[in-house]
Amino acid sequence: MLVIDGEMILVKDYKDVLIVNDHYFKIEMKECYYHIKGKNIMIHYLDDYELRLSGQVDVITYDKL
């Protein structure tokens, strides 16, 4: 599940964080990969169940597994 609230993004029930830098974030979910592109992307909270990102999001896309 992906929830967007302003400049905060909440991701729940993820499987793995694959790529993270200040302009691109890729995460594996149960049935797809999410690609988040933008500026100043940072992880603020991370555990085995959820994570929270912040930054200016320009584009979110996904690919099915």
Side-chain angles (χ1 to χ4, degrees):
M1 176 175 67
L2 186 82
V3 178
I4 303 169
D5 182 21
E7 289 191 356
M8 278 301 245
I9 299 171
L10 174 65
V11 181
K12 290 188 176 187
D13 299 324
Y14 70 94
K15 289 180 105 179
D16 196 13
V17 175
L18 302 173
I19 300 171
V20 63
N21 59 45
D22 66 341
H23 64 278
Y24 180 70
F25 181 79
K26 181 177 181 180
I27 190 165
E28 181 180 353
M29 303 296 284
K30 184 177 179 180
E31 298 178 355
C32 68
Y33 295 107
Y34 281 118
H35 307 268
I36 300 171
K37 297 178 184 176
K39 296 178 182 137
N40 302 319
I41 296 174
M42 296 187 305
I43 295 176
H44 287 276
Y45 177 77
L46 173 69
D47 67 15
D48 292 338
Y49 178 68
E50 70 179 33
L51 63 87
R52 293 180 191 187
L53 301 170
S54 72
Q56 178 184 339
V57 176
D58 294 330
V59 177
I60 298 175
T61 58
Y62 73 95
D63 297 321
K64 290 192 174 196
L65 294 176

